[in-house]
Amino acid sequence: MAKIIDGKAVSAQVKEQVRQETEQLRAEHGIEVGLAVVIVGDDPASRVYVNNKKKACEAVGFRSFEYALPAETTQEELLDLVDTLNKDEKVNGILVQLPVPKHIDDKAIIDAISPDKDVDAFHAKNVGGIMIGDYTFLPCTPAGVMELIDATGVEVSGKKCVVIGRSNIVGKPMAMLLLHRSGTVTICHSRTQDLASVTREADILVASVGRANFVTADMVKEGAVVIDVGINRLENGKLCGDVDFASVEPKAGWITPVPGGVGPMTIAMLMKNTLTAAKAQNGLLK
Ligand code: GUN
């Protein structure tokens, strides 16, 4: 039986720390922290994520500025808004919820966000900084996964770490953060041959595939730390992860549930990054 890694509890600790520091910034320096969240179109999943981000801002004492734009918004209009937010001193962090509608080039939008306000850490300057270990922000989901691994007390150094998925948002930066901690890291993807033989070696297995119940017990080493980044909606409306929890849980040493695992951590780390951005912009980053 695996121990459950409680993302709700760990994220609550991170948010409480952010709330206290936000209060301190206000009391000692008169600084209000602000996050702008931009959503284009009416994708229901994106709407839920944006609402959750807004709630988290309220909980930690940030101002939140929401820009809900119609699906027909042009790339130029979105770039104009990003430019306005880059210049707005009340806005410390800017997040454009992805995916944006197909007629908008998401890379052009990410490139336009000031790297100092890029609290997703998606801008090429921030991604490059992560590669060389020189960064202000870490991307929210991989950073949240590291917090969850740390919560287990399992040491990453020297361990075999396998990441399934090679996206720019999760897989690639995840591998880099594990490498920074001296893990021996393998990235698997849709072309990987005999995937199960690779994943079975993992002391720490991170699944970010986007396919419901993809990781089954035969793919997992006895006692492994299993982190499930997936959020998939089944036909019956239920949420489930990339890991087949029912079969893997008896075999793993530690496992994250879905919901209540990585999801709440992503938002908590976004709050942490926004606070860091506000400190950096005011010359207060230690
Ligand atoms: N869409 C899904 N996850 C994310 C995220 O972490 N940041 C942004 N901007 N969009 C997303």
Side-chain angles (χ1 to χ4, degrees), residues 65-145:
F65 306 98
E66 187 187 303
Y67 296 84
L69 308 180
E72 314 76 65
T73 302
T74 65
Q75 181 160 318
E76 285 64 36
E77 286 167 334
L78 186 52
L79 287 170
D80 279 350
L81 173 60
V82 168
D83 186 47
T84 303
L85 297 173
N86 280 340
K87 292 173 181 152
D88 187 339
E89 288 190 354
K90 294 191 294 301
V91 172
N92 303 109
I94 302 169
L95 180 142
V96 178
Q97 185 67 28
L98 300 177
V100 285
K102 285 199 176 58
H103 64 275
I104 297 176
D105 174 11
D106 53 6
K107 188 175 177 304
I109 305 302
I110 291 166
D111 278 351
I113 296 172
S114 162
D116 298 338
K117 296 190 177 185
D118 169 38
V119 285
D120 270 320
F122 289 170
H123 191 285
K125 178 172 182 279
N126 289 326
V127 175
I130 291 156
M131 288 288 288
I132 59 172
D134 173 17
Y135 49 78
T136 309
F137 312 120
L138 290 174
C140 302
T141 299
V145 170

Side-chain angles (χ1 to χ4, degrees), residues 1-14:
M1 284 277 277
K3 297 191 183 110
I4 306 296
I5 311 172
D6 185 348
K8 275 193 200 157
V10 180
S11 69
Q13 286 166 17
V14 172

Side-chain angles (χ1 to χ4, degrees), residues 6-69:
D6 185 348
K8 275 193 200 157
V10 180
S11 69
Q13 286 166 17
V14 172
K15 282 191 286 187
E16 176 53 22
Q17 178 75 27
V18 171
R19 192 193 65 74
Q20 287 177 20
E21 288 186 37
T22 301
E23 204 171 275
Q24 206 178 339
L25 264 190
R26 186 180 297 123
E28 292 176 9
H29 300 279
I31 295 167
E32 295 281 346
V33 181
L35 174 66
V37 178
V38 182
I39 176 170
V40 186
D42 44 19
D43 178 61
S46 291
R47 185 24 71 199
V48 172
Y49 295 140
V50 166
N51 288 348
N52 288 342
K53 286 166 187 173
K54 215 160 103 181
K55 272 189 225 154
C57 282
E58 282 161 21
V60 300
F62 293 174
R63 286 173 172 160
S64 76
F65 306 98
E66 187 187 303
Y67 296 84
L69 308 180

